[in-house]
Amino acid sequence: AVLMPLVVTPIVIALIVTATLDPLVSVLVRRGWGRVIASVAAVVGSTLVVILLLVLAVVSLAEQAGEVGAGVEAGARSVDDTAGGTLGVAVEGVVQLVQGVHAIVALGGALASFLVVVALGLLLSVAFLVDGGSLWARIVHRAPETHRPALDGAGSRALGVLGGYMIGTAAISGVGAASQWVMMAILGIPLALPVAVLSFILCFIPYIGGFLSTGIAFLLTV
């Protein structure tokens, strides 16, 4: 991964995309689509959706990142004042986190260098979706005969788990971001849209992403 990132990283991206889109391709094939057309349509369509979400995120967050950060810092200091100054360390942690987010937003343009890797990953994902079944069959066939059923079953379960995780996380993130936007809009809390977009992105981080996004909304409310 370190010595050959241009090779390894696209393969990892392609495996994630393949596991995520394989159910959609299977549905399209059952509806009469050719597998090549179904694979290309699934990859291109999902890529356009992701690009749209990224553009929305950049536009929403870049324009109001300073306001969101200032609101979060003000909320944290207000909570600390209410607690009699006993949360000073936590407040400084929030301030450092906000500054880190500002740095990430400022470095967004540098991510353009990853476009080649992403493009290779998407091209590989099309190849995996079209011919991945036959490729996997050849790999399994090279294993000792007694181990083939276990290997085939493990690979199928791994693909299902990875695809299920990505689809489930996207669904949960979407519902969470939408409900957070609705609650903030009803309560009249400012910056509802950028916080909802940030919530959708953060919820892809296991375990702590939801707490971070909810904490941001809480501090803005304070």
Side-chain angles (χ1 to χ4, degrees):
V2 174
L3 296 178
M4 297 186 297
L6 195 61
V7 175
V8 177
T9 307
I11 292 176
V12 173
I13 293 174
L15 289 174
I16 294 173
V17 173
T18 300
T20 306
L21 298 182
D22 185 63
L24 174 59
V25 172
S26 299
V27 170
L28 294 177
V29 170
R30 286 197 297 269
R31 290 180 175 272
W33 291 46
R35 190 159 189 89
V36 175
I37 299 299
S39 301
V40 172
V43 172
V44 172
S46 61
T47 302
L48 292 177
V49 171
V50 171
I51 291 174
L52 179 62
L53 290 175
L54 289 177
V55 169
L56 178 62
V58 170
V59 171
S60 299
L61 297 176
E63 290 183 353
Q64 304 183 58
E67 194 173 350
V68 172
V72 170
E73 289 184 28
R77 298 192 187 282
S78 177
V79 171
D80 184 43
D81 293 339
T82 303
T86 59
L87 301 177
V89 175
V91 170
E92 290 305 316
V94 170
V95 172
Q96 293 298 322
L97 177 63
V98 169
Q99 293 175 351
V101 172
H102 285 171
I104 293 174
V105 173
L107 291 174
L111 296 179
S113 60
F114 289 99
L115 286 178
V116 173
V117 172
V118 173
L120 288 175
L122 293 176
L123 290 173
L124 276 176
S125 66
V126 173
F128 287 168
L129 287 167
V130 173
D131 296 321
S134 59
L135 173 62
W136 176 247
R138 291 198 298 271
I139 293 174
V140 172
H141 185 71
R142 291 179 177 273
E145 187 173 356
T146 55
H147 297 325
R148 290 174 190 172
L151 177 61
D152 191 27
S156 299
R157 288 193 299 274
L159 188 72
V161 168
L162 179 58
Y165 171 80
M166 295 301 296
I167 295 172
T169 301
I172 293 171
S173 299
V175 172
S179 60
Q180 189 161 308
W181 176 82
V182 169
M183 286 186 287
M184 293 181 70
I186 291 175
L187 295 174
I189 300 170
L191 308 172
L193 179 59
V195 171
V197 173
L198 188 62
S199 174
F200 179 80
I201 297 172
L202 287 176
C203 282
F204 277 89
I205 304 174
Y207 304 113
I208 65 171
F211 289 103
L212 290 175
S213 61
T214 306
I216 291 172
F218 168 74
L219 292 177
L220 283 173
T221 304
V222 173

